[in-house]
Amino acid sequence: MKIGFLTSNHLPEARGGTEQVTAALEREFGARGVEVVVITSSDVPDSPIEHAVEQHEGVVVHRLYKRLDEWDNTGFVRPRLIGLVRELLERERPDVLHVHSTAALGTGCVAVARELGIPIVWTFHDLWTTCARYFRLPSPGVVCPSAADRLPCAECVDRELRVGRETVARAIAERDRRIAADLALAAVCTAPSHTAARLVRECTPYPGAIEVVPHGILRVPAPGDRVAARLAGEPLRVGTF
């Protein structure tokens, strides 16, 4: 079996949570004899390279670089990138396309998979489908809206773009429409927690079913790395970062 991963970035360039989880999935699939091929992008602006083929722990990673006019501030459809994704899907022919994020590649890529008859699984690692700034961390004085309300979003985004709230509101509405069209093509959607599933369902909004599949551990710890069991009566210590 061959699975295609569609991601916005990948190790080693980016080392965020989504990148760590997708790399762990690649290792697990490989251990089970499943081939994985990755189509991803980059945060490098206006690279002279169009398409680089990398290897990460035995997995082929196709990295597509964006031009200056292929970022969110210039629109959400990137025909050149969609064409490259089509070429790669036609060449690689995965049995399933697992979408982890299309934020960098733009909307419309999953439609190519549907046209080619490739089933789509979508995992909501974070909340970028609900938020034009990706993480629902608003500017000071702005409160993230509940459900599908976007009124505070226009003010929040325009504080950075400064192009006018009406212009931003129209762009957010277009973003919502295009993301909804992509999500409608998914055969299965998953989220790592009930909270993430609820926020995507209510705030994107997404009317379909979202199966909660909690993340496992990124790698199996060596026996000597495990903390000794807490003794009876010993105070509980909680660490966070």
Side-chain angles (χ1 to χ4, degrees):
M1 185 177 186
K2 187 176 188 178
I3 298 178
F5 277 13
L6 196 65
T7 72
S8 283
N9 211 318
H10 196 278
L11 295 169
E13 181 184 306
R15 296 181 175 275
T18 299
E19 290 77 28
Q20 298 286 347
V21 170
T22 53
L25 283 171
E26 292 160 16
R27 288 192 293 270
E28 186 64 24
F29 279 131
R32 295 172 182 237
V34 177
E35 182 182 357
V36 178
V37 60
V38 178
I39 302 174
T40 192
S41 189
S42 168
D43 293 330
V44 175
D46 203 29
S47 169
I49 303 171
E50 180 176 76
H51 172 205
V53 182
E54 305 171 3
Q55 287 272 346
H56 180 76
E57 297 182 356
V59 174
V60 175
V61 178
H62 295 278
R63 193 179 295 276
L64 308 180
Y65 288 89
K66 294 186 291 184
R67 295 172 178 161
L68 288 179
D69 61 350
E70 292 175 329
W71 299 74
D72 283 357
N73 61 324
T74 56
F76 307 106
V77 180
R78 291 139 204 180
R80 184 186 66 90
L81 293 175
I82 291 175
L84 291 173
V85 170
R86 179 183 294 277
E87 291 177 11
L88 290 170
L89 289 178
E90 289 177 340
R91 182 195 313 171
E92 298 288 351
R93 286 288 173 176
D95 298 294
V96 177
L97 182 66
H98 190 167
V99 179
H100 298 278
S101 175
T102 65
L105 294 168
T107 57
C109 292
V110 293
V112 174
R114 170 61 74 88
E115 292 171 17
L116 297 175
I118 302 170
I120 299 157
V121 175
W122 197 305
T123 294
F124 302 107
H125 290 273
D126 49 39
L127 299 173
W128 76 267
T129 59
T130 77
C131 174
R133 296 183 68 224
Y134 291 28
F135 299 109
R136 293 181 69 86
L137 295 173
S139 300
V142 177
V143 177
C144 278
S146 59
D149 177 25
R150 294 290 188 265
L151 287 177
C153 303
E155 177 183 353
C156 185
V157 173
D158 193 48
R159 288 189 181 184
E160 294 191 19
L161 299 184
R162 299 191 181 281
V163 295
R165 292 184 192 176
E166 291 185 3
T167 299
V168 172
R170 287 193 297 269
I172 290 175
E174 179 192 0
R175 181 182 189 272
D176 287 344
R177 286 193 300 270
R178 294 190 179 281
I179 288 176
D182 280 355
L183 292 178
L185 303 178
V188 176
C189 287
T190 76
S193 70
H194 289 282
T195 298
R198 176 180 59 80
L199 285 169
V200 169
R201 188 179 299 112
E202 295 175 357
C203 300
T204 301
Y206 176 68
I210 302 175
E211 183 177 353
V212 175
V213 181
H215 289 326
I217 56 176
L218 294 176
R219 58 192 61 82
V220 178
D225 292 340
R226 292 182 178 274
V227 175
R230 188 165 58 97
L231 300 175
E234 191 177 27
L236 176 67
R237 296 177 297 162
V238 178
T240 185
F241 68 93

